[in-house]
Every structure is written in C-alpha cells, then in structure tokens.
Amino acid sequence: MIFNVITLFLSLLSIVVSVFVFFKSRELTIKYNNLVAGQQALQIREDISSARRRYEDLCLQSNSNNPDIIKYAINSSIEDICNMYDLACSLYISGSLNQKNFKQQYFNEIKNIVEDDNFKDKYEPSTTEYQSTKTVYENWFK
C-alpha cells in the first residue's frame, strides 16, 4: 500500500515537472525566435544602409559641385539615420531586444535625435513616419 502511494506521488511529481519544463522551454524558444528575428531585421537594415552610403558616396564623388546632389546626400543620410533609430525602437517595443541594455545605451541618443534641430521636422507628432522612435521618446521623457 505505501509503495503504491509513493509510486503515485512520484508519478504525479514527474508529470508536474515535465509540464513546467515544457512551458519554460516554450517560453525560451519564443524569446530566442524574437531575438533571431530582431537580428535579421537589423542586418537587412544595415545592408540597405551600406548600399545607400555607397550610392551617396558615388554621387558626391562624381558631382561634388552640384548643390542638388549634396542636398540629396544629406537628406538621404538623415532619412537613413531616422530609419535605423526607428527600427531599433520598434525592436525595443516588441521585446526583441534586451530592454534594459537598450535604454542604457540609447537613452541620451534618442533624446538628442528627436530634439535636434536638424531632425525636428522628422518627429512632428502628427506627421512622423518614425512612430516607434517617437513612442520610445515619449515613454522615456514625457
């Protein structure tokens, strides 16, 4: 009789432990998949930015005296910077990045870019395309 009770108890305990391990493993798998997706998004953005910088450099080298080309290169660079911050903030919001580390690393940068006179028109509340950056800024500073 006691042997049967002990066997039943151990069986129930093993089922509980198995269920716990299953759910913990599932949680970790979801976090891992989010991290991988975030890394892929950052890599794609970096590849696009690299190609854009190459194009800007070639334009400036071949037309360095043309003010329209210079203005284009500056505007393109500003847009690229805003896109990079917006992607990073989007990944921060979705939990694909370590939120504590992200805030420590980018706390001042997010504030500086949103408040910078050269970028201010990019972050106007009603017209901004960079909603993730604006959301992070408002959460941190308002």
Side-chain angles (χ1 to χ4, degrees):
M1 176 74 178
I2 288 186
F3 179 73
N4 288 340
V5 171
I6 292 172
T7 304
L8 179 64
F9 175 74
L10 290 176
S11 296
L12 290 174
L13 182 64
S14 68
I15 289 172
V16 169
V17 169
S18 295
V19 169
F20 174 77
V21 168
F22 170 77
F23 283 110
K24 194 64 173 169
S25 173
R26 186 171 176 219
E27 177 186 328
L28 291 173
T29 300
I30 290 169
K31 284 183 181 182
Y32 173 77
N33 289 340
N34 285 342
L35 286 173
V36 169
Q39 289 173 337
Q40 288 174 336
L42 287 171
Q43 184 60 50
I44 290 168
R45 184 72 231 160
E46 183 56 37
D47 292 344
I48 291 169
S49 294
S50 178
R52 180 180 244 171
R53 280 190 298 272
R54 174 105 170 101
Y55 177 74
E56 291 166 0
D57 289 343
L58 289 171
C59 285
L60 288 172
Q61 287 173 4
S62 63
N63 298 299
S64 61
N65 295 330
N66 185 334
D68 291 335
I69 296 295
I70 294 170
K71 184 176 180 179
Y72 164 79
I74 291 171
N75 288 336
S76 179
S77 295
I78 288 173
E79 182 180 338
D80 202 32
I81 290 168
C82 292
N83 284 333
M84 289 297 292
Y85 277 106
D86 202 57
L87 174 61
C89 288
S90 174
L91 293 172
Y92 166 81
I93 291 168
S94 72
S96 296
L97 299 174
N98 181 307
Q99 294 188 334
K100 181 181 175 190
N101 290 344
F102 182 85
K103 189 171 182 176
Q104 286 176 342
Q105 291 177 329
Y106 293 99
F107 187 81
N108 289 326
E109 283 188 49
I110 298 294
K111 181 178 188 222
N112 291 341
I113 194 168
V114 171
E115 294 177 358
D116 188 309
D117 289 338
N118 294 317
F119 293 87
K120 226 172 190 139
D121 64 319
K122 298 289 185 186
Y123 296 107
E124 288 298 319
S126 59
T127 60
T128 186
E129 297 174 31
Y130 310 105
Q131 198 59 49
S132 295
T133 309
K134 191 68 174 176
T135 299
V136 169
Y137 173 80
E138 288 173 354
N139 287 341
W140 290 354
F141 299 104
K142 300 218 173 188

